[in-house]
Amino acid sequence: MSDEQTTPQVEEPQVETTEQEAEPAEYSLAVPERPDQTPEQEQLAIQVEDAMFEVMDPEIGINVVDLGLVYDIWIENGTEAVIHMTLTSPACPLTDMLESQTESMVMEVPGVSAHRINWVWTPAWGPQFITEDGRDQMRALGFSV
């Protein structure tokens, strides 16, 4: 009997988690599994990523893609860009600025009718995520990377 009682206790939290993931979220621990994308959605996601090169980290002055802050981008509901990204620190005081810049840039992409940022914390950001272009930009600013 104790096995039967344990199983429902394990299943209940899983159901709650699934329901929470189904709702639009602003924060999650990790990037969820990538949904299947049509070729058109893949192309639109690439255009959104291109737009994200214009979103600059206000403290460093380098775009969020080259800094390695953008973990994944996909399209849901045909035209909604879902951007999974992180911050150099969960306590970053400039989150609002990055959200505003992202909205400005992404909503200019033809074919995008809405966007959502999903702030994720796993994996934690570190310098290993900076692209080679980002490293070159940081070196030009005097950083040792």
Side-chain angles (χ1 to χ4, degrees), residues 88-138:
T88 55
S89 163
C92 178
L94 303 171
T95 306
D96 291 344
M97 291 179 74
L98 290 173
E99 288 175 344
S100 177
Q101 285 185 53
T102 298
E103 180 177 10
S104 295
M105 295 298 112
V106 170
M107 294 310 295
E108 288 183 11
V109 175
V112 172
S113 65
H115 83 289
R116 177 170 31 109
I117 298 174
N118 182 30
W119 296 108
V120 295
W121 310 113
T122 302
W125 181 87
Q128 72 273 17
F129 291 108
I130 303 172
T131 67
E132 198 53 46
D133 285 344
R135 291 177 187 283
D136 290 343
Q137 293 171 55
M138 291 189 78

Side-chain angles (χ1 to χ4, degrees), residues 1-74:
M1 274 194 183
S2 63
D3 288 339
E4 291 175 19
Q5 291 173 351
T6 303
T7 302
Q9 290 174 356
V10 171
E11 290 181 66
E12 287 177 350
Q14 289 175 349
V15 170
E16 289 175 22
T17 302
T18 303
E19 289 172 7
Q20 290 171 352
E21 290 173 358
E23 298 173 7
E26 280 190 46
Y27 298 92
S28 55
L29 190 56
V31 176
E33 186 176 328
R34 193 178 222 295
D36 290 335
Q37 300 280 276
T38 65
E40 293 81 13
Q41 289 172 319
E42 290 286 354
Q43 185 59 40
L44 190 54
I46 290 168
Q47 293 172 330
V48 170
E49 181 181 36
D50 288 345
M52 293 296 291
F53 278 95
E54 300 300 319
V55 177
M56 298 293 168
D57 181 289
E59 291 180 311
I60 303 174
I62 297 174
N63 71 74
V64 295
V65 176
D66 283 329
L67 278 176
L69 299 177
V70 177
Y71 287 168
D72 204 354
I73 299 171
W74 62 65

